[in-house]
Amino acid sequence: MATVEVALKEMMAGIEGALGAAVVDYTSGMALGTLGGGKDLDLTVASAGNTDVIRAKVRTMELLGLKSQIEDILITLGTQYHLIRLVTGRDGNGLFLYLVMDRARSNLAMARHQLKKIEGQLEV
């Protein structure tokens, strides 16, 4: 099992093109930990903002009567991918992994695979 710190390190070191990573509590919008980012990528602000994305999607699914669970959400920008993966284990209810990648240097399929693996090992 991996701690938040270990998960963040695996996201940054193990995923090609990673620019920033966070583990976020979407009930409060607070990041439990961040790694990477910079002056053009404030992971604390992005984490809080993406909490609203998750809440909106969950609310929409409830209104539509969809019983399926969200695995991940992809936001594609001109030069970046923003990947949000909900933590589904019993310890991770209400958490998500947030990864920002350089679109030119990343492999989206491999990133999704790695994020799923990291999510499965996360223990909070």
Side-chain angles (χ1 to χ4, degrees), residues 34-50:
T34 63
L35 191 60
K39 67 178 181 77
D40 294 330
L41 179 58
D42 185 331
L43 289 169
T44 303
V45 173
S47 296
N50 282 307

Side-chain angles (χ1 to χ4, degrees), residues 36-114:
K39 67 178 181 77
D40 294 330
L41 179 58
D42 185 331
L43 289 169
T44 303
V45 173
S47 296
N50 282 307
T51 295
D52 293 335
V53 171
I54 300 233
R55 289 178 185 161
K57 188 59 189 172
V58 168
R59 194 169 42 252
T60 301
M61 289 176 64
E62 288 171 356
L63 291 171
L64 294 172
L66 299 175
K67 302 296 181 203
S68 192
Q69 290 184 338
I70 299 169
E71 287 184 24
D72 58 39
I73 297 171
L74 171 65
I75 300 169
T76 304
L77 303 179
T79 60
Q80 296 176 345
Y81 289 126
H82 291 235
L83 190 55
I84 300 166
R85 176 152 187 106
L86 273 67
V87 178
T88 57
R90 59 181 166 76
D91 291 338
N93 196 21
L95 300 180
F96 67 90
L97 303 178
Y98 174 54
L99 178 66
V100 180
M101 297 172 289
D102 181 322
R103 191 170 164 175
R105 296 186 306 121
S106 61
N107 178 324
L108 186 56
M110 286 303 296
R112 289 183 73 220
H113 175 74
Q114 286 296 106

